Every structure is written in C-alpha cells, then in structure tokens.
C-alpha cells in the first residue's frame, strides 16, 4: 500500500524525501525491532530476559503430552513455531498438545493479548516477563504473525532456492559457513532445514542472546527462500 502510494506521489513530482515518513506509518516497519524481540521472547523468554529458567512443568501443559520442565514454559511449545498450534507442525508427534494457536489474536488489541498472557491458566508474572518485554511480546502476537501455509507445504519450504542462495551467501555464510557447519555448537544448518517453520521464525526474529540478525524487515518470503536453499546444504 505504502509503496503504491509513493509511486503515485513520485509520478506527480512529490519529493522522495517523504519515504521515511510514509514507511513509519506502517506499524510493522516502525516497530520491527520491538516485534522481533517479541519473537525471541516467544522462542525462549527466560534466556532473552536473563531470568531464572522454570523447573516445574507448566500447569496448563497437558499431562498426557510428551514434554516436562522448562520446555513447557516456552510459548512455542504450546502454540507452535508456526503459531497455528494443532493445525500446523505440532498436529502430531512429541510436541502435540492440542492447544489452540495464537493466530486468532493476529491484529488483535495488545491490552487484551497482555491480559491473556498474564492471566488465566497462563500465569506469566512480571517477575518472569516484565512490562517492557510484555509490550514487545504482545506486539509480536498482534503484528508479527504471518500465514505459514503460504511458505511451507508438506514439511518443506516452497521458497525459491536461487534467491535463497544469494541471500545465504551474502548474509548468513560469514557466521555459519558456506556449508552451514561453521558454528560447532549447533547442528548442521542443512539438518535444521527439516523444521522449516522454526527456521523461518528464527531467520525473521533472530536467535535469543546471539549476535544473529533479525531479518524481519525483509519479510517471510525471503526467509522461506533462504530456508529452501538451506535444505540443499549437507546434513
Ligand atoms: C503450557 C501451555 C502454554 C504455554 C507455555 C503458553 N500458552 Fe498461550 N494458551 C494456552 C492455552 C491452553 C490457551 C487457550 C486459552 C486458555 O485456556 O487460557 C492459550 C491461549 C493463548 C492466547 C489466546 C489465543 C486466542 O485466540 O484466544 C494467546 C495470545 C497466547 N496463548 C499467547 C501465549 C504466549 C505469548 C505465551 C508465552 C509467553 C504462551 N501463550 C504460552 C497454553 C499455553
Ligand atoms: C553475526 C553472525 C550470524 C549471522 C549473520 C547469522 N547467524 Fe544464525 N546463528 C548465529 C549464532 C551465534 C547462533 C547460535 C548458535 C548456537 O546455538 O550456539 C545462530 C543460530 C542460528 C539458528 C538456530 C540454530 C539452533 O540450534 O536452533 C539458525 C536456524 C540460524 N542461525 C540460521 C541463520 C540463517 C539462515 C542466517 C542468515 C539469514 C543466519 N543464521 C545469520 C550467528 C549468526
């Protein structure tokens, strides 16, 4: 929408100096850093915030599901890397809980989202997630979601690996190596591409407490393209 308006404006000779102002009106661009931080909090809040890792199993985590302990306190564990809970990757297997996704809150009021996360069976106190972090997290839930079905089909990215190769070589390879094996503390990148939903989330929001950039401003299509290329790397 903004780009279309700018093209129209440019054709009438209006100065291109209006670009930053027009972009700032786009909530997701103006708040990209906050939303990306929210995405990392969704991934593993206690690591991002430097708070104690929970030891008990979360009270809302189903007794007959497979996980226990701190894993059950991660937003992603109950709601999915793809945000659609039982309708997505966690529809079966060791991460299945049957708990609803958060897609119903996409575009939602951040005060209502905050109330949902603080209250009810959730019980995320301000000692766990402080108010500033909660603002980022609620903005992520409201403005940071994308429709994963547009980028992943049958467990694989539908992105363009040719575009992805160029992006990987110029953005990722310096840290991760051309073959995706340079960082020894993590599995080979090619192996991680088996979970494209997680890969796309991490490319867009970054990795908690690591130097890895958040690519949110470039959008989910480029993240899907990179993920499609990464699937060709050695496992
Ligand atoms: C142990 C499982 C569990 C964890 C962890 C969890 N949730 Fe939930 N969440 C639920 C359940 C269950 C619901 C369904 C509503 C209810 O019963 O409270 C829910 C509902 C929601 C909703 C409302 C969805 C809707 O459409 O009404 C949002 C938003 C949400 N969670 C966000 C989060 C965020 C953000 C985190 C991480 C801080 C989180 N949840 C962690 C279990 C969990
Ligand atoms: C500035 C360096 C840097 C850049 C650039 C970077 N990363 Fe990372 N990335 C890291 C570090 C450090 C980690 C954490 C590794 C670990 O687990 O110890 C990481 C972690 C990851 C993980 C999660 C690994 C896991 O164990 O779950 C993925 C996926 C990933 N990077 C993909 C990418 C992709 C794709 C790109 C390019 C878009 C990229 N990274 C760019 C440094 C970087």
């Amino acid at each position: 929408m903004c780009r279309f308006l700018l093209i129209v404006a440019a054709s009438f000779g209006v100065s291109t100096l209006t670009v930053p102002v027009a972009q700032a009106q786009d909530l997701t661009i103006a708040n990209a850093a906050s939303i990306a931080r929210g995405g990392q909090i969704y991934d593993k809040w206690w690591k991002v915030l430097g708070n104690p890792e929970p030891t008990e199993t979360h009270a809302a985590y189903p007794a007959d599901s497979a996980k226990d302990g701190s894993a059950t306190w991660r937003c992603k564990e109950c709601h999915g890397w793809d945000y659609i809970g039982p309708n997505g990757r966690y529809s079966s297997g060791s991460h299945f809980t049957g708990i609803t996704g958060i897609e119903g809150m996409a575009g939602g009021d951040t005060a209502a989202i905050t109330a949902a996360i603080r209250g009810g069976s959730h019980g995320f106190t301000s000692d766990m997630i402080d108010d500033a972090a909660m603002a980022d997290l609620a903005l992520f839930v409201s403005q940071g979601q994308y429709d994963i079905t547009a980028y992943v089909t049958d467990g694989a990215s539908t992105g363009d690996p040719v575009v992805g190769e160029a992006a990987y070589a110029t953005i990722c390879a310096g840290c991760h190596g051309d073959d995706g094996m340079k960082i020894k503390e993590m599995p080979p990148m090619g192996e991680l591409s088996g979970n494209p939903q997680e890969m796309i989330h991490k490319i867009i929001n970054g990795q908690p407490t690591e130097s890895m950039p958040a690519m949110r401003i470039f959008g989910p299509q480029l993240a899907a393209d990179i993920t499609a290329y990464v699937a060709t790397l050695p496992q």
Side-chain angles (χ1 to χ4, degrees):
M1 176 59 113
C2 287
R3 279 190 197 132
F4 173 74
L5 288 174
L6 282 172
I7 290 162
V8 174
S11 68
F12 283 92
V14 177
S15 165
T16 50
L17 282 175
T18 56
V19 169
V21 177
Q23 286 185 343
Q25 287 166 358
D26 182 335
L27 261 181
T28 58
I29 293 177
N31 296 306
S34 170
I35 297 171
R37 184 164 184 264
Q40 291 189 26
I41 293 166
Y42 183 89
D43 179 336
K44 195 182 269 188
W45 54 266
W46 62 86
K47 195 169 182 210
V48 177
L49 303 174
N51 286 337
E53 181 172 343
T55 50
E56 308 290 311
T57 297
H58 193 292
Y61 190 80
D64 53 356
S65 290
K67 307 289 174 188
D68 59 16
S70 63
T72 66
W73 285 84
R74 295 172 76 181
C75 312
K76 77 95 197 166
E77 194 59 49
C78 288
H79 299 297
W81 290 115
D82 48 18
Y83 325 129
I84 54 176
N87 298 319
R89 187 179 183 86
Y90 289 177
S91 62
S92 64
S94 68
H95 296 282
F96 174 78
T97 61
I99 293 169
T100 172
I102 56 166
E103 76 273 28
M105 285 289 200
D109 175 43
T110 51
I113 293 167
T114 299
I117 300 169
R118 286 253 186 264
S121 52
H122 272 135
F124 288 96
T125 66
S126 54
D127 285 344
M128 298 173 183
I129 301 175
D130 62 71
D131 287 347
M134 183 59 80
D136 294 333
L137 181 60
L139 203 58
F140 166 77
V141 172
S142 175
Q143 303 295 321
Q145 299 187 57
Y146 43 82
D147 176 10
I148 193 71
T149 63
Y151 309 105
V152 174
T153 304
D154 295 334
S157 169
T158 54
D160 180 348
V162 176
V163 176
E165 179 172 13
Y168 184 89
T170 52
I171 302 164
C172 320
C175 291
H176 287 285
D178 288 334
D179 59 1
M181 296 192 173
K182 190 169 166 186
I183 300 180
K184 302 296 177 204
E185 292 74 32
M186 62 179 262
M189 190 75 85
E191 187 184 314
L192 293 176
S193 70
N195 187 340
Q197 295 90 344
E198 176 175 355
M199 176 86 54
I200 291 172
H201 176 95
K202 286 189 184 284
I203 292 172
I204 288 183
N205 299 296
Q207 174 79 342
T209 71
E210 302 289 356
S211 54
M212 180 162 147
M215 298 275 291
R216 173 161 288 281
I217 201 84
F218 298 99
Q221 182 61 57
L222 186 61
D225 295 341
I226 295 170
T227 301
Y229 173 67
V230 164
T232 70
L233 294 178
Q235 314 212 344

